[in-house]
Amino acid sequence: MTEDHQLRLLAVHAHPDDESSKGAATMARYVAEGVQVMVATCTGGERGSVLNPALDRPEVWERLPQLRVEEMARAREILGVAQEFLGFVDSGLPEGDPLPPLPEGCFALVPTEEAAAPLVELIRRFKPQVVLTYDENGGYPHPDHIKTHEVSVHAFEAAGDPERYPDLGEPWQPSKLYYHMGFTLTRMRALHEAMLETGAESPYAEWLANWDPERDMSARVTTRVPCAEYFPVRDAALIAHATQIDPTGRWFACPMEVQQRIWPTEDYELARSLVDSPLPEDDLFAGIRSEVPVP
C-alpha cells in the first residue's frame, strides 16, 4: 500500500502518439476517477515519418523530433496524465527484403538489462500498482514495440527485488501487468458490420480481408474497461499528434456513436498478477481497490 493510499497506473509506450492510440480512453477515465496516471515514453520518435499529408512539408520534416515532443505535451495535457521520456533513440521501422540493419545505438539494440534501468527507477519512484504495456509481439512487430514489451516485463519483475538495480531507489513491486488487446478480430468485425448496417462504407474491409485468424488475440482478453464516454478525449489526444495522424483517415472513419454503442470498452490481457481478481474483469485495479481506496 502506498503511503498516501493513492491508486497509480503506469503505461509504458514506445513512441509519442502510442499512448493516444492504445488505452487513452482508459487512462482518461481513471484520471477522472482520481487515479494518478503516468506515461513512460521509451523513445522520442525521432525516426518516425510525417503521416499527415497536410503536414508533409520540408520544414515539418526538419523539425520533426522537436515537433513530436511538443505534440506529446499537448496530448498529455488533454489526457490529464503525467509523462516522462526514458531517453532512448527511435529505432525506425526497417523496410525492404532483406531488412536493413537497425541503426547503431537505437533503442531496440540496447541490452535489455540496460534499457530497463530508467523504467525500474521510474517504477520505484512513481510506485504504480498497475503497469500497462504491449504483448510479446509488440502489438505489431515494430522493433521498438517489441523492445518496450521486453523492457516492461523485465522492469516489472526487477523493481521489487532489492538485489537488482540497488542504486535506483527503494524497491517497489507492482501488483498487476497488463497487455493491450485493442486490435482483435472480434472487435474489428463488430465495428465493420455496424458500419455496413448504417449503409456506410466500412474502413475495415481491406483490413479484415487480409486478417490471419490464426494470429487473432481475442481469446486472450481478460479485462474489458468501460470507457466509451472518454472516446472523444482519446480522439482529441490522438489528433494532438498532428504529424502522426490524418484527421480525415481511417482512425476516425467510424462514427463516434457507433464505436460507443458497439464496443464501449478498451480491452486487455492480465499477464501477471500478485493479487486475487476473478476473471473476466472490468477494472485494471480489481483486487487492489479494497487495499488502496481512492481518497
Side-chain angles (χ1 to χ4, degrees), residues 115-135:
L119 186 57
V120 169
E121 189 279 329
L122 179 57
I123 288 173
R124 290 176 175 177
R125 172 164 46 89
F126 182 63
K127 298 180 172 60
Q129 294 90 4
V130 174
V131 176
L132 180 59
T133 193
Y134 316 137
D135 68 11

Side-chain angles (χ1 to χ4, degrees), residues 139-140 182-185 187-189 191-192 202-213 250-251:
Y140 80 109
F183 297 101
T184 59
L185 180 58
R187 175 174 173 265
M188 304 317 297
R189 186 177 284 157
L191 293 173
H192 169 73
S202 169
Y204 311 116
E206 182 179 354
W207 203 348
L208 289 169
N210 296 318
W211 202 299
D212 179 3
R250 182 170 62 181
W251 278 104

Side-chain angles (χ1 to χ4, degrees), residues 1 50 73 91 132 135 140 151 256 259 294:
M1 184 182 298
V50 177
S91 305
L132 180 59
D135 68 11
Y140 80 109
V151 164
M256 181 64 65
Q259 297 181 55
V294 176

Side-chain angles (χ1 to χ4, degrees), residues 93-106:
L93 182 59
E95 296 179 307
D97 186 13
L99 291 174
L102 292 172
E104 184 177 350
C106 71

